[in-house]
Structure formats: C-alpha cells, structure tokens
Amino acid sequence: MGGSLFSSATGAFQPSKTESVANYCRISGPVKLHLFQELGAKASELHGNGIASNRAGVLRSNKKSVIQAILQSESEVETANGRGTRGLRGQLNKVVLAYSGGLDTSVIVPWLRENYGCEVVCFTADVGQGMKELEGLEKKARASGACQLVVKDLKEEFVRDFIFPCLRAGAIYERKYLLGTSMARPVIAKAMVDVAKEVGADAVSHGCTGKGNDQVRFELAFFALNPNLNVVAPWREWDITGREDAIEYAKKHNIPVPVTKKSIYSRDRNLWHLSHEGDILEDPANEPKKDMYMMSTDPEDAPNEPEYVEIGIVGGLPVSVNGEALSPASLLTKLNEIGGKHGIGRIDMVENRLVGMKSRGVYETPGGTILFAATRELESLTLDRETIQVKDSLALKYAELVYAGRWFDPLRESMDAFMEKITEHTTGTVTLKLYKGSVHVASRRSIYSLYREDISSFENGQIYNQADAAGFIRLYGLPTRVRAMLEKEL
C-alpha cells in the first residue's frame, strides 16, 4: 500500500458535529505501542506490509505477517454504554465489517453499534479497485464511529491464488463471464476471518443486498473458514429500503454522509475486471452507452495498427509479457493497459444469478481476455483430445462452484489439483495480435508440443501411413454400417 492512503494524521480530522463520535466511543486511557502490536502488527496468517497510523505519524513494518491497522485515536475504545450492553437486536462483542466508505457501509457502522451493542472494526481489501476508492477511509471510518480500520493489500494473493487457478481451469460462467466479482469475494472473506481472529471479533458483517450473489459468496466462505463466527447482514434485517432512508438514518445519528456523486450504474472493480449494472442496462434491449466504459477504449477509436503481445506460460500459468518476467498482479496490470488500449475484453450478457433471477451486466476484462486466449492456444499444442474434452467439461462445473461462492468447497479444491496435474506440461509462449477489440493468435511454441509436422504433413511418412486409414474407418464406422443394414432389411 502506498503511503498516500494514510497521508492525513489521525488527529487532523474533526467531525462536523462534535458529538458524532462521542455518541459511539468513549475514551478510557492512552494506547501504548504494545496495543498496536497486539491489534495490528503481531504475526498472523495474512501476508504483506503493515501500516498503522497514530498521532505521531505513520508506522511501517516490513514483516510479512502483519495486518494494516488504523486506530481511531490514541485510546482504547469502548461502546457508549460499556462492554456487554445489549443492543436492540442482541449482543455481540466486536464485529469486522467489510467496508468501502460509501453511504451503505458508513450507515452500517452505527447501525451495528445500536442494534448489537458492539465495537466495529472496519475492514477494507485492496484488490485493485484503484486508489481513488481507498482515499480518505480513515476519516470516514472514524466519522461513522468505527473503533478500528484495517486495510489489507490483497492484489498479489488475489491474482496468484484465486484468478490464476480459474484461468488454468478455463472457468467461464455461462459462456461469457470470466468471474471477476466471484473470485474477489472469497479472498476478501478469507482476510476478514483472519482479521476477526487477530482483533478478537465474534462476528463479521457485509453490506450485500438480499437479492444478489455476493451475500452467498461471503457467507459460504465465512462458514468454511470459521463456522463459529456470527454473520450480520443488515440489508436482510433493517428497515432501510434505499438511499434516502440511509441518508436520513445517517443524519439522525450525526454521521456525516459521504459527499460523492452517485453513479447511475452499479459498478464493481478489481484488478481482473470492471462490471456495470443498472440504469439503462436493466433493459436487455438497450445498447450500452459509449461513455459508460472505463477500462477499455471503444474498439472504433482504438489504434489503427495492431499490436503483438507475447505471453510466457509455465505449467498453465502466465509468467511473462514480451519476455519480461512479472509478478502475478504486475503481469495482469500490464495486460490491462495493453488490452484496454485496443478495446479488448468487452462482454455484454444476461446471466442467471444464483438466487434465481436473471440479470444483465456489462463487463470489461481486457487483461483476462488476453490471458484466456493465450492459455487456450497453448493447450491446443500440449493436451491431447481426451484430456481437453474432460478438462472442458470440468471447467463448466468449476465455474459454477466459483460463481456460487463455493471456493473453499472440497470439490473445487480437488478439481484444482486435477487441473494443476494435467497442465504441468502446458509451458511455452503464445503471441497474440490485438486489433480493435479482437484477439487473434499469431504463433504458439512449446517444448512439450504434441504437434508433429512430419505426421501432420500431407506427405507419407514412416510414422503415419495413409493406407492405414482404410482399416481404421471400417472399424470406426462399423456401428453406422450395422444400423444401416438393419434399416434396409426392415
């Protein structure tokens, strides 16, 4: 994570109404360095650099086993009525909330405190949504009454452990969808469970609605990783029905409403894709507007000259672009830039949601589209017919499991082991030609190639004798001949 995210000092922010934070948190004493170490920097199952802010500035740690924590202030924080006070709906000690800083999650913070008498730890995952969405989160979380903000850079883990396995498996949902949101939810949920353990939380919460797929994806991951955690889904419990209700609730509880221009589209962005839903897209008969797209150039406006890009692949996983070895996240970032410039990866589809309804979405997946094309082309050299057929059939099930939130299901994990085994020789390079929204293969090379020019040539050779085909055809076509003979006799 860059230091710019935490550029403001913790003490610099003052709520517009002095009572806004005091209503939810009470100062009980100074926090020593050991408290930060206990809450934010002790060894954990998470990986990455940790950053914690306090009044003295920003502390950094180069340890790999830390979580990034922003404490509300140099104080221990308790609920306004003291620990153990029952809320309107029950009692929880501490809840880890999947937090974006938008209106919904800003309102969820005080709602959780009011209804469950708990402390709220806001958690934000950086999965490549962009720095703009991560700016100012400390101020927003404090203004809403959160006692702690934890930020985790998950980009490398997201690409390495979630995106690349799906890529290797060839998982595509309903012929088009490359599972961008579906893959992001389990990596976020996994980090939330880890953070809950670190901070001693007994519950987790999310802002997903009761109509979508994400509620299932989050909660199945919670169940798989820690079935003892309570799960709170406010949209399935509260009386808030829309944006205006949420604004009124925020005003009533002296919570500053995030001042942002509301997009007419519902979007979800990460390093793999950008999805668009809502507004005119709700009618499948409407063509998307040209200015809606954000990751890719309109193919009509793309460069008039094609660009060639070489993808290096080892064991079914991409490792380099144009001969340059890159980390998983860096590789995908580079291909997003290249593909976006040429209008690659735009998908418009009507899909079947897990909850039963159909929905229309438009997706931009420039780098992912390039990678899928490259891996498929290399497999055409390195896998035999039967293996490709079985792999493709399993890829459909693999995609269904990921879409349905069953990432940590033993079946998906077993299928992943199969995919890893059969692609162990899918190693080589593929050169693709990008031009105005299209991806075409230019060359494929592999030391494990099953393609033999001496066999495929029209000339006779020692390995393949064309005369042998006559006997093969007679035997292969025997069932057809027998059926035709029977019909003739009848």
Side-chain angles (χ1 to χ4, degrees), residues 177 179-186 214 217 270 273 402-405 407:
Y177 179 41
L179 300 168
T181 302
S182 308
M183 295 183 294
R185 296 313 184 224
D214 283 343
R217 295 164 181 158
N270 57 50
H273 86 159
V402 176
Y403 187 84
W407 182 269

Side-chain angles (χ1 to χ4, degrees), residues 469-489:
F472 165 75
I473 295 172
R474 290 182 65 84
L475 293 177
Y476 185 72
L478 182 59
T480 302
R481 294 173 62 201
V482 169
R483 183 182 301 107
M485 293 167 59
L486 175 61
E487 291 175 354
K488 186 175 182 179
E489 293 174 357

Side-chain angles (χ1 to χ4, degrees), residues 319-350:
V319 296
S320 67
V321 176
N322 295 330
E324 180 185 4
L326 297 167
S327 72
S330 298
L331 184 147
L332 181 55
T333 299
K334 187 176 185 69
L335 289 179
N336 278 336
E337 295 172 357
I338 296 173
K341 179 175 65 176
H342 292 277
I344 304 300
R346 293 185 172 190
I347 295 296
D348 185 342
M349 69 178 292
V350 175

Side-chain angles (χ1 to χ4, degrees), residues 6-51:
F6 309 104
S7 58
S8 61
T10 308
F13 171 74
Q14 295 294 331
S16 58
K17 296 186 179 181
T18 57
E19 70 274 21
S20 62
V21 174
N23 285 341
Y24 296 104
C25 300
R26 184 175 67 209
I27 297 175
S28 63
V31 165
K32 305 296 183 182
L33 180 60
H34 73 271
L35 179 60
F36 158 68
Q37 292 171 335
E38 291 175 2
L39 293 180
K42 67 180 180 179
S44 72
E45 297 176 34
L46 297 178
H47 301 285
N49 290 333
I51 303 176

Side-chain angles (χ1 to χ4, degrees), residues 426-481:
T426 302
T427 296
T429 60
V430 176
T431 301
L432 300 170
K433 179 181 178 181
L434 313 180
Y435 181 67
K436 290 189 176 294
S438 64
V439 181
H440 299 285
V441 61
S443 71
R444 324 159 184 82
R445 296 182 178 89
S446 174
I447 61 173
Y448 298 108
S449 175
L450 299 177
Y451 179 89
R452 291 282 299 268
E453 188 174 352
D454 57 343
I455 297 177
S456 301
S457 171
F458 285 106
E459 302 295 330
N460 278 325
Q462 295 181 349
I463 299 177
Y464 190 98
N465 186 340
Q466 296 189 44
D468 293 339
F472 165 75
I473 295 172
R474 290 182 65 84
L475 293 177
Y476 185 72
L478 182 59
T480 302
R481 294 173 62 201

Side-chain angles (χ1 to χ4, degrees), residues 1 5-6 46-47 49-51 66-70 95-102 105-106 109 120-142 144 146 148-155 157 184-185 187-196 199 204-206 218 268-269:
M1 294 292 294
L5 177 58
F6 309 104
L46 297 178
H47 301 285
N49 290 333
I51 303 176
V66 294
I67 56 177
Q68 299 177 10
I70 302 175
V95 179
V96 175
L97 168 67
Y99 181 75
S100 67
T105 52
S106 294
V109 174
V120 179
V121 175
C122 290
F123 173 76
T124 301
D126 180 4
V127 288
Q129 62 267 47
M131 289 301 296
K132 286 186 178 180
E133 293 191 27
L134 299 174
E135 291 175 352
L137 288 182
E138 176 185 0
K139 178 188 291 187
K140 294 176 182 178
R142 291 181 61 222
S144 296
Q148 188 176 351
L149 171 65
V150 178
V151 180
K152 185 65 183 175
D153 185 347
L154 302 177
K155 293 192 292 294
E157 180 183 359
R185 296 313 184 224
V187 70
I188 296 172
K190 175 180 177 292
M192 288 179 66
V193 171
D194 290 337
V195 170
V199 302
V204 287
S205 180
H206 59 76
F218 272 113
D268 178 76
R269 183 167 188 163

Side-chain angles (χ1 to χ4, degrees), residues 140-178:
K140 294 176 182 178
R142 291 181 61 222
S144 296
C147 298
Q148 188 176 351
L149 171 65
V150 178
V151 180
K152 185 65 183 175
D153 185 347
L154 302 177
K155 293 192 292 294
E156 290 292 350
E157 180 183 359
F158 177 39
V159 181
R160 180 188 67 241
D161 298 339
F162 292 80
I163 289 176
F164 278 6
C166 287
L167 174 66
R168 179 174 58 199
I172 300 176
Y173 182 71
E174 294 191 338
R175 305 170 183 170
K176 289 185 176 182
Y177 179 41
L178 299 184

